[in-house]
Amino acid sequence: MAQTGAGPRTWLVLGDKRGDNGQVEAVAAGLPWPWERRQVQMQPQWVYGKPPVRPSLDHIDREKSDPLEPPWPDLVISAGMRNEPVCRWIRAQSGGRTRIVHIGRPWASPERFDLVVTTPQYRLAEHPRVLQNSVTLHRVSAARLAAAARTWEPEFAELPGPRIAVILGGNSGPYTLGPKTAAQIARRVNRMAEQRGGSLLVSTSARTPARALRAFEQQISVPCFLYRWRPDDAANPYFGMLALGDELVVTADSISMLSEACATGKPVYMAPLGGYGYPMQAGGGAEVDFRFTALTYSWLMRFGPRRLSRDIRLVHARLLSEGRAAWLGEEFRPTTASGPSDIERAVERVRGLLRLT
């Protein structure tokens, strides 16, 4: 959206991670004023590296990035450590006037920002400028689900109900989605659909290993629609599955996918992955597929600084305590939630920064 009309001048500073950008745009979509996107591209040596935390543009490719020039914004919203120095540089150019909202885990101290919107896995200490949400921000809405349902109902019409949507993630930190784990999850969801006389709607993601998917497929005997993720696919049925699945099963490695599933208000079951030293589900007995980088990540969690790792089990615990999800194989016991949603709380805090109601 271009900056037109009245309201604080707002920039969304976006990088190369779709998940981060999606959270930034989720907040912007709730604001009652216009905003502009500012896409920045990293120089090759900083695509994976951590740039200095000081205000700077030294790590971005100025020619390939959108212009960063006056008039400077009243507000910037961003996510990701590589965008932090950019936002702080913008504030410096404005003479300190620009407010900064950072989503996720910042590398600089919270005092360097006006608001940090985060989730439990980053283990940030309580702070007046930190908003602790249960799940990540997202763009799932009743309108979007209704539109997806209209689009995909003809495709799924012949599959018997109840339909169980299964969203497969991939390797994450100390956890691995390998053939053993994938086969175990497949047997559980196949039995779940079989007992209900229903079917499966299965989608992979960008991180789903091919070996894991093959092992998963070999265990499925019930009617099943399977989508293999493809980049930039306009025919991706993901939101259709969220809309038309009567129950949702999500591998518990992906907090963003769990967040989107929980936003539907349907029963959500978390499928645990096997890991080293930090089991997702206590006593859950998830199969463990060997992956060396998973083992080293578990060492990092045990011996390294907390800021260099995250513990997604803290999000699982929050979802279980709030009655928003259950472990696969256990009973789903929802609670009646009240009060504003995570996205509503974030938007209200942003509005408060600019003294608007």
Side-chain angles (χ1 to χ4, degrees), residues 271-295:
L273 305 189
Y276 295 99
Y278 296 88
M280 284 188 175
Q281 181 185 9
E287 296 276 4
V288 178
D289 293 271
F290 176 77
R291 185 168 59 96
F292 181 71
T293 52
L295 182 60

Side-chain angles (χ1 to χ4, degrees), residues 165-170 177 181-182 185-186 189 201-209 212-214 216-217 226-227 229 238 249-254 257 271 273:
V166 182
I167 313 299
L168 300 175
L177 181 61
T181 306
I185 294 171
V189 297
L201 306 175
V202 181
S203 176
T204 67
S205 66
R207 295 182 298 107
T208 307
L213 179 58
R214 287 194 296 269
F216 183 94
E217 289 183 90
L226 172 62
Y227 172 75
W229 182 89
Y238 175 71
V249 176
V250 182
T251 55
D253 57 280
S254 175
M257 294 193 309
L273 305 189

Side-chain angles (χ1 to χ4, degrees), residues 9-353:
R9 181 173 291 275
T10 301
W11 289 359
L12 313 185
V13 177
L14 306 175
D16 59 351
K17 293 188 176 182
R18 294 185 179 184
D20 287 346
N21 294 344
Q23 292 196 72
V24 171
E25 294 188 338
V27 172
L31 298 176
W33 61 77
W35 39 267
E36 299 177 77
R37 293 181 178 89
R38 288 292 187 272
Q39 189 80 37
V40 296
Q41 299 289 335
M42 299 299 115
Q43 295 186 32
Q45 66 269 34
W46 297 114
V47 170
Y48 298 105
K50 177 182 174 299
V53 296
R54 58 182 171 80
S56 173
L57 299 184
D58 292 345
H59 61 297
I60 73 169
D61 188 324
R62 300 288 292 272
E63 292 185 359
K64 294 182 179 179
S65 300
D66 288 338
L68 301 174
E69 56 192 25
W72 302 112
D74 303 295
L75 171 69
V76 292
I77 308 174
S78 192
M81 66 180 180
R82 295 170 187 84
N83 292 339
E84 277 187 45
V86 177
C87 295
R88 294 175 60 199
W89 180 89
I90 292 170
R91 178 162 63 186
Q93 306 313 300
S94 74
R97 179 179 55 83
T98 300
R99 302 294 184 94
I100 302 176
V101 173
H102 181 87
I103 299 172
R105 173 177 56 190
W107 287 87
S109 168
E111 285 85 0
R112 303 290 186 179
F113 307 90
D114 295 281
L115 176 65
V116 175
V117 182
T118 192
T119 43
Q121 76 264 30
Y122 297 123
R123 300 171 289 190
L124 293 187
E126 294 297 324
H127 190 280
R129 297 190 180 189
V130 173
L131 172 62
Q132 294 277 2
N133 277 336
S134 298
V135 294
T136 57
L137 305 176
H138 53 79
R139 301 284 309 260
V140 174
S141 65
R144 186 167 193 174
L145 292 175
R150 289 191 295 270
T151 299
W152 287 98
E153 178 60 46
E155 183 73 31
F156 301 154
E158 295 185 4
L159 291 169
R163 301 168 184 146
I164 302 169
V166 182
I167 313 299
L168 300 175
N171 302 330
S172 176
Y175 307 108
T176 301
L177 181 61
K180 292 180 183 178
T181 306
Q184 184 180 50
I185 294 171
R187 289 191 292 270
R188 289 180 174 180
V189 297
N190 192 78
R191 183 167 58 250
M192 189 175 172
E194 199 170 49
Q195 291 173 344
R196 290 160 170 73
S199 58
L200 299 176
L201 306 175
V202 181
S203 176
T204 67
S205 66
R207 295 182 298 107
T208 307
R211 290 195 313 146
L213 179 58
R214 287 194 296 269
F216 183 94
E217 289 183 90
Q218 290 170 4
Q219 303 298 321
I220 301 302
S221 61
V222 298
C224 176
F225 174 95
L226 172 62
Y227 172 75
R228 293 175 172 80
W229 182 89
R230 296 184 296 272
D232 302 316
D233 184 10
N236 187 324
Y238 175 71
F239 284 100
M241 292 181 176
L242 294 184
L244 296 169
D246 297 291
E247 299 172 282
L248 310 177
V249 176
V250 182
T251 55
D253 57 280
S254 175
I255 303 305
S256 61
M257 294 193 309
L258 283 173
S259 304
E260 291 165 342
C262 290
T264 67
K266 299 178 181 181
V268 175
Y269 298 93
M270 302 184 293
L273 305 189
Y276 295 99
Y278 296 88
M280 284 188 175
Q281 181 185 9
E287 296 276 4
V288 178
D289 293 271
F290 176 77
R291 185 168 59 96
F292 181 71
T293 52
L295 182 60
T296 57
Y297 195 96
S298 71
W299 295 341
L300 176 64
M301 290 182 67
R302 184 175 298 274
F303 302 111
R306 286 163 57 97
R307 67 182 292 104
L308 297 180
S309 65
R310 63 182 186 137
D311 190 348
I312 60 177
R313 299 176 305 166
L314 299 174
V315 177
H316 302 156
R318 180 77 69 87
L319 293 177
L320 292 169
S321 68
E322 294 177 349
R324 301 171 71 178
W327 288 114
L328 180 60
E330 297 184 355
E331 183 181 356
F332 178 75
R333 297 177 178 176
T335 58
T336 54
S338 60
S341 66
D342 286 339
I343 186 65
E344 289 170 338
R345 295 193 323 135
V347 169
E348 282 306 306
R349 287 288 295 270
V350 173
R351 292 176 60 145
L353 291 177

